[in-house]
Amino acid sequence: EKGYLTLGPFFNGNCSYDGDVRCRCNQGARAVAIVAASDHNTPYVYRSPSCHVEYVPLENSSLVPELALSLGLGLGLVILMLLVSWYAFAHKRNNTFAPKDSTRPFCIIFTDIQSSTHLWATVPEAMVPALDAHHLLIRQLIKRYKLYEVKTIGDAFMCTTSSPTQ
């Protein structure tokens, strides 16, 4: 039924107004969008410009672009947060075996392929699979000996361990 919808009373007892305090100091909602479950194609907006609420069909309202923008921005923000969380989790480095006790000595290990610059210049087509095999082998050794891979630059690895005898 099109008519009045009561959204209150919402009022502030400290409001100083000589007339109807509840009407003047209405702290409640000024617009409510309602979509009936049985008729999802006909949404409504109830506006409260004064003490009572009037019915306005949603398609004649300026609220449609605002709703679309709000929903779009909210959905975009949720998707962005999910992507950032996924990326951070998927690319998280495992530092289980990184030395953490600053009072104990630790070992730093460097690896490098000898004459790799010359090999890249003379047989670049062979260096791609060779570098992939090298990285696979070094990472298997890192895992086997419980090392921590600090960084990799080209064909060089920097690793640490709490004990060089592990």
Side-chain angles (χ1 to χ4, degrees), residues 5-119:
L5 174 68
T6 303
L7 293 175
F10 303 101
F11 65 94
N12 181 347
N14 295 327
C15 182
S16 58
Y17 180 70
D18 295 336
D20 184 355
V21 173
R22 291 180 204 181
C23 177
R24 177 68 174 162
C25 299
N26 186 354
Q27 301 288 318
R30 289 292 185 190
V32 178
I34 299 173
V35 177
S38 61
D39 187 12
H40 63 277
N41 292 323
T42 312
Y44 305 98
V45 172
Y46 290 91
R47 293 196 181 177
S48 179
S50 63
C51 291
H52 58 273
V53 177
E54 66 180 87
Y55 160 81
V56 179
L58 189 59
E59 56 271 358
N60 295 332
S61 169
S62 66
L63 193 58
V64 174
E66 294 166 0
L67 283 173
L69 181 63
S70 298
L71 290 174
L73 288 174
L75 184 61
L77 184 60
V78 167
I79 290 172
L80 179 64
M81 288 172 48
L82 287 172
L83 286 173
V84 167
S85 298
W86 170 80
Y87 183 82
F89 182 76
H91 294 89
K92 183 179 176 185
R93 291 174 51 130
N94 182 357
N95 68 352
T96 303
F97 300 115
K100 297 175 185 76
D101 187 354
S102 62
T103 62
R104 297 192 50 185
F106 61 93
C107 180
I108 299 177
I109 303 165
F110 293 96
T111 69
D112 189 41
I113 297 176
Q114 185 175 353
S115 302
S116 63
T117 305
H118 175 72
L119 291 169

